């Protein structure tokens, strides 16, 4: 899923270049605009246009996209080397013919392998036995006659990127091998994306069960506080157009309706940064849909916080009911994952309280006081915190914890802020005060940093499953009994 959250940056950029006629090999690469598009074809085109993409993106304005491309191409080279070593071993030990795989696209097995079936972390890292080889054949698969059998390739069926300067960017794909439909959101690239990030006030949004017309549900059906920018980006209806949420759900529903066997396909949503926040919000509402198999699984990467205590509590309740699962991957010292902490309303009130008592009183009179927990942001899901080296509290390079443990339990005060991370970033900022970078830890937010740290923890997570982690970490929760 990490690979998919990075792939969409490159895919959207390359499609934009194709629409503008800027390609090194237009005869073959224009195929990138055609849908449905086999994943292996998309990856081949990205590989052959790699030099052009690097040249276009290396302008100081596309750090996230360039980092994503570098991560993907680096993974490609590593996998090609591994495949070559595997081929040599097979020749020496078994004398078998070399595999037909040319290694061009099997580095991106993330679409086919990640978190399949029982949410296995072995599969999160895309084991070779789950990799796809050229021509749509699955490695190691054989038919009754002993030969390789054909299986359907993963397909990108929809791309929402025609107005990428104004709207969110997404893709939808289907994987018949793992029986999965995947929605991917792109992170922040354009001015519109960053304006969205900056709108940190809360909007009162309907509870997802009420949103989906489930008034008779045993929940209270109240409103929840959601980041205004994220909510409007996904649910806003401008100029008479349907929301992006409804647009994407139509693609998902169409994929399910096309083939009876897809009625049992699982829905996965992923994204990096802003894309991770949108994935969290999309999964929150999709998990209350009556038309989808449950649970819905969100794998967010480097995501900021999305909602307030009511949002987080409802999210945890849906997890406890088996409707929703969320793996939240966060690099240690990634500043984006630490915010926002409070709404703009509370920030303004606290600032006035500190520097202008009269101004603070004026705000209270007009109903704009600092508020309480409803103006504080909370994270959700099962957190996988990745360290650059061995963590201070564990012999491993990652720490797993459940964000909802203090939220759904009445015995503990809800914990909203990872104070240890905040303290370390503040200390680091002081040490690097003379640096030209205003955010010295921002490099930990990019795709290269996440890819490197994920590679280091692969062996630590062998044998774990997301469901197993919920049972282990969500102590005292209904599903742990």
């Amino acid at each position: 899923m990490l690979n998919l959250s990075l792939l969409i940056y490159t895919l959207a950029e390359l499609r934009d270049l194709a629409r503008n006629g800027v390609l090194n090999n237009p005869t073959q690469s224009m195929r990138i605009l055609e849908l449905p598009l086999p994943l292996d074809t998309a990856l081949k085109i990205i590989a052959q246009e790699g030099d052009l993409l690097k040249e276009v993106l290396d302008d100081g304005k596309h750090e996230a996209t360039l980092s994503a491309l570098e991560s993907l191409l680096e993974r490609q080279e590593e996998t090609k080397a591994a495949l070559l070593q595997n081929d040599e071993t097979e020749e020496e030990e078994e004398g078998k013919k070399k595999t037909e795989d040319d290694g061009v696209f099997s580095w991106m097995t993330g679409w086919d392998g990640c978190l399949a079936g029982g949410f296995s972390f072995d599969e999160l890292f895309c084991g070779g036995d789950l990799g796809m080889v050229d021509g749509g054949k699955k490695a190691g698969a054989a038919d009754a006659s002993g030969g390789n059998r054909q299986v359907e390739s993963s397909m990108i069926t929809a791309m929402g990127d025609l107005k990428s300067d104004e709207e969110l960017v997404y893709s939808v794909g289907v994987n018949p091998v793992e029986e999965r439909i995947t929605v991917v959101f792109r992170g922040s690239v354009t001015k519109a994306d960053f304006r969205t990030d900056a709108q940190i006030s809360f909007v009162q949004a309907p509870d997802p069960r009420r949103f989906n017309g489930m008034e008779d549900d045993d929940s209270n059906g109240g409103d929840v506080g959601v980041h205004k920018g994220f909510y409007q980006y996904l649910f806003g209806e401008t100029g008479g157009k349907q929301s992006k949420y409804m647009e994407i759900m139509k693609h998902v529903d169409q994929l399910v309706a096309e083939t009876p066997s897809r009625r049992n396909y699982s829905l996965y949503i992923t994204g990096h940064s802003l894309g991770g926040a949108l994935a969290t919000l999309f999964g929150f509402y999709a998990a209350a849909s009556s038309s989808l198999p449950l649970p819905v699984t969100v794998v967010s990467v480097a995501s900021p916080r999305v909602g307030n205590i009511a949002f987080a509590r409802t999210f945890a309740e849906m997890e406890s009911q088996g409707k929703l699962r969320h793996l939240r991957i966060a690099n240690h010292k990634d500043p984006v994952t630490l915010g926002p902490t409070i709404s703009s309303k509370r920030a303004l009130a606290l600032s006035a309280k500190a520097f202008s008592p009269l101004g603070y009183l004026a705000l209270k009179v007009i109903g704009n006081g600092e508020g309480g927990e409803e103006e504080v942001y909370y994270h959700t899901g099962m957190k996988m915190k990745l360290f650059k080296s061995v963590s201070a509290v564990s012999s491993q390079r990652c720490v797993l914890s459940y964000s909802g443990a203090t939220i759904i339990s009445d015995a503990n005060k809800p914990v909203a802020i990872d104070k240890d991370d905040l303290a370390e970033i503040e200390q680091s900022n002081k040490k690097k005060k003379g640096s030209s970078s205003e955010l010295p830890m921002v490099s930990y937010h990019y795709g290269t940093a996440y890819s490197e740290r994920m590679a280091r923890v692969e062996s630590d997570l062998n044998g774990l499953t997301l469901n197993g982690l919920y049972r282990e970490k969500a102590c005292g929760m209904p599903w742990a009994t």
Side-chain angles (χ1 to χ4, degrees):
M1 287 296 166
L2 171 61
N3 287 332
L4 288 179
S5 70
L6 301 180
L7 171 64
I8 192 169
Y9 285 96
T10 306
L11 185 59
E13 184 66 31
L14 186 56
R15 283 169 56 86
D16 186 61
L17 292 174
R19 281 190 287 265
N20 287 283
V22 184
L23 293 172
N24 283 337
N25 189 352
T27 302
Q28 296 182 20
S29 298
M30 286 298 290
R31 176 74 175 88
I32 201 74
L33 294 177
E34 300 176 16
L35 294 172
L37 177 67
L39 180 62
D40 55 0
T41 300
L43 298 173
K44 287 179 179 179
I45 295 173
I46 289 173
Q48 67 188 20
E49 296 289 348
D51 291 340
L52 171 64
L53 285 164
K54 287 182 179 179
E55 180 181 348
V56 170
L57 298 174
D58 193 18
D59 59 358
K61 300 178 181 179
H62 296 82
E63 290 91 346
T65 306
L66 181 60
S67 176
L69 174 64
E70 290 174 344
S71 297
L72 296 178
L73 294 179
E74 181 180 352
R75 178 68 182 271
Q76 176 187 24
E77 292 303 317
E78 291 174 352
T79 305
K80 286 170 67 177
L83 287 170
L84 180 59
Q85 178 64 39
N86 182 63
D87 290 343
E88 291 174 350
T89 301
E90 286 183 351
E91 288 179 351
E92 292 174 1
E93 295 181 355
E94 302 176 17
K96 291 184 178 180
K97 183 180 178 181
K98 284 186 64 177
T99 178
E100 296 176 1
D101 183 12
D102 61 8
V104 172
F105 59 88
S106 51
W107 57 281
M108 259 302 300
T109 52
W111 192 284
D112 292 312
C114 297
L115 286 176
F119 315 112
S120 167
F121 280 83
D122 297 336
E123 294 163 348
L124 170 61
F125 296 99
C126 313
D129 60 326
L130 293 174
M132 297 292 292
V133 296
D134 206 357
K137 297 176 183 178
K138 186 168 174 127
D143 57 21
S145 62
N148 285 329
R149 58 181 173 83
Q150 296 291 326
V151 295
E152 296 180 76
S153 297
S154 295
M155 302 289 290
I156 301 170
T157 60
M159 281 289 300
D161 62 344
L162 285 176
K163 295 184 177 180
S164 60
D165 288 340
E166 305 172 13
E167 302 173 342
L168 65 82
V169 172
Y170 70 86
S171 69
V172 182
V174 60
N175 177 354
V177 176
E178 303 299 339
E179 298 186 344
R180 181 167 65 246
I181 293 172
T182 306
V183 177
V184 187
F185 291 96
R186 190 186 69 179
S188 298
V189 173
T190 67
K191 291 180 179 179
D193 294 334
F194 290 111
R195 284 196 298 268
T196 294
D197 297 332
Q199 298 179 59
I200 63 170
S201 61
F202 282 118
V203 61
Q204 291 303 302
D207 177 288
R209 293 155 290 198
R210 182 159 58 86
F211 174 84
N212 284 279
M214 301 170 65
E215 292 87 350
D216 295 332
D217 192 271
D218 57 4
S219 66
N220 55 27
D223 288 342
V224 298
V226 178
H227 184 290
K228 181 178 179 180
F230 302 155
Y231 189 82
Q232 290 185 341
Y233 226 22
L234 188 59
F235 288 96
E237 298 177 354
T238 58
K241 294 177 57 179
Q242 66 179 350
S243 69
K244 288 296 179 181
Y245 176 85
M246 296 305 299
E247 180 180 316
I248 296 168
M249 282 300 291
K250 283 188 176 181
H251 287 302
V252 173
D253 290 340
Q254 180 179 351
L255 285 173
V256 173
E258 283 177 351
T259 306
S261 61
R262 290 181 186 164
R263 293 171 185 168
N264 295 320
Y265 278 25
S266 299
L267 177 63
Y268 284 69
I269 311 105
T270 189
H272 169 267
S273 191
L274 166 64
L278 294 171
T280 302
L281 189 55
F282 187 95
F284 180 62
Y285 281 92
S289 170
S290 60
S291 63
L292 298 173
L294 300 175
V296 168
T297 300
V298 176
V299 181
S300 68
V301 182
S303 173
R305 293 178 174 87
V306 175
N308 69 359
I309 183 64
F311 172 87
R313 184 169 286 119
T314 303
F315 200 104
E317 288 173 357
M318 295 176 70
E319 288 173 310
S320 71
Q321 295 163 0
K323 297 178 179 179
L324 185 59
R325 293 287 183 265
H326 180 197
L327 176 65
R328 180 169 58 84
I329 304 171
N331 271 353
H332 181 51
K333 295 186 179 181
D334 177 351
V336 174
T337 65
L338 298 173
T341 55
I342 57 176
S343 69
S344 55
K345 173 184 175 180
R346 185 165 189 176
L348 175 62
L350 291 176
S351 177
K353 186 176 183 179
F355 300 104
S356 176
L358 287 177
Y360 177 68
L361 288 174
L363 287 173
K364 290 192 69 175
V365 168
I366 63 175
N368 285 334
E370 61 188 86
E373 287 297 315
E374 73 276 5
E375 297 297 329
V376 177
Y377 277 92
Y378 285 79
H379 265 310
T380 60
M382 191 65 61
K383 179 182 179 183
M384 178 191 291
K385 186 176 182 180
L386 302 175
F387 290 82
K388 190 174 183 179
S389 57
V390 175
S391 76
V393 297
S394 171
S395 60
Q396 297 180 331
R397 291 187 174 90
C398 78
V399 173
L400 296 158
S401 60
Y402 178 54
S403 301
T406 64
I407 294 173
I408 202 171
S409 172
D410 293 331
N412 300 302
K413 178 178 174 57
V415 176
I417 303 172
D418 191 330
K419 295 181 179 179
D420 292 337
D421 272 0
L422 282 173
E424 290 195 21
I425 285 184
E426 289 173 359
Q427 183 63 30
S428 179
N429 286 344
K430 291 177 182 178
K431 290 180 180 178
K432 300 184 179 181
K433 193 172 182 179
S435 171
S436 60
S437 172
E438 296 181 3
L439 289 173
M441 297 299 179
V442 75
S443 61
Y444 293 162
H445 180 65
Y446 293 140
T448 47
Y450 274 87
S451 293
E452 290 169 0
R453 295 191 190 187
M454 286 288 285
R456 293 191 188 107
V457 302
E458 178 175 358
S459 60
D460 295 341
L461 300 173
N462 285 340
L464 294 180
T465 65
L466 188 53
N467 282 343
L469 282 178
Y470 269 96
R471 288 191 294 270
E472 176 188 350
K473 302 294 181 180
C475 297
M477 300 302 103
W479 61 82
T481 59

